[in-house]
Amino acid sequence: AAGVGTGSLLDTYSAIGGARVQSRDVKQMSVPAEVTSEYFDVVGTRIIAGRGLNAGNGQPVVVVNEAFASRFWPTTRPAAVVGQTLLVEGVPNEVIGVVQNAHDRSLDQAPLARFYRPLELRTVPQGRVNYVIRFGSDVVPDAALRRTVGRLDPAAVVEAVDSIDGPLGEGIRDR
């Protein structure tokens, strides 16, 4: 299984800048994670309420994680967060789902408050995306992945191939 994301799992480049997001009572800058509809299944992020992102629906929608929901709607149960409006750069987006928090930087850091929007709706493509692939074994087929990507897009650059255990465990390795 495979999914794609920007500003998501282990994307260290996503920490700069962000979008102005606002609910009725809370305003802040937040970096959106833009992901394909398969992303949550591939990384094992459980949907708590509502639904995930569907490719090609064309509507301004977002999915938020538990930390984001509790920051923006602190007294609201996850099921009631679904249907709320989140302004992203002044554009109303309907919250269609709430997903569990995920440790996507390091195992010793609290999960970030995240909102996700469909990657398919991006209007300004950027060159950096992260592919997340779930294999049937613990072996990461580095050479095979690089060959396949090279055949699909000779201009693509594969910066790194690693299992999720490596980067996530890095912060606690010495302990």
Side-chain angles (χ1 to χ4, degrees):
V4 179
T6 66
S8 56
L9 188 66
L10 302 173
D11 186 353
T12 56
Y13 293 99
S14 68
I16 300 169
R20 291 185 317 267
V21 293
Q22 177 180 348
S23 67
R24 192 173 318 159
D25 300 322
V26 180
K27 292 181 188 179
Q28 74 178 45
M29 294 293 285
S30 185
V31 176
E34 295 176 319
V35 300
T36 59
S37 57
E38 306 84 9
Y39 180 83
F40 297 123
D41 286 336
V42 173
V43 299
T45 300
R46 187 173 54 89
I47 297 172
I48 296 170
R51 62 182 175 85
L53 299 166
N54 294 331
N57 65 5
Q59 302 298 314
V61 295
V62 295
V63 168
V64 300
N65 71 356
E66 295 168 291
F68 194 97
S70 66
R71 166 95 174 99
F72 279 77
W73 300 280
T75 61
T76 307
R77 295 178 349 274
V81 169
V82 174
Q84 297 288 332
T85 298
L86 181 69
L87 295 176
V88 179
E89 295 293 343
V91 176
N93 284 250
E94 179 185 0
V95 177
I96 60 169
V98 178
V99 296
Q100 72 184 66
N101 289 333
H103 287 277
D104 56 3
R105 293 281 185 248
S106 173
L107 294 174
D108 63 348
Q109 292 180 5
L112 298 173
R114 287 218 176 265
F115 77 99
Y116 302 84
R117 58 187 180 189
L119 180 68
E120 291 83 1
L121 296 182
R122 294 175 66 192
T123 56
V124 180
Q126 307 216 351
R128 183 178 176 84
V129 295
N130 290 323
Y131 291 87
V132 290
I133 303 169
R134 184 176 29 182
F135 295 99
S137 73
D138 291 338
V139 177
V140 178
D142 186 321
L145 279 173
R146 290 177 187 277
R147 279 193 308 275
T148 301
V149 169
R151 280 194 306 267
L152 294 172
D153 183 355
V157 175
V158 177
E159 288 183 21
V161 176
D162 200 348
S163 75
I164 193 65
D165 297 335
L168 277 180
E170 195 65 38
I172 61 171
R173 189 173 318 268
D174 62 338
R175 288 178 259 158

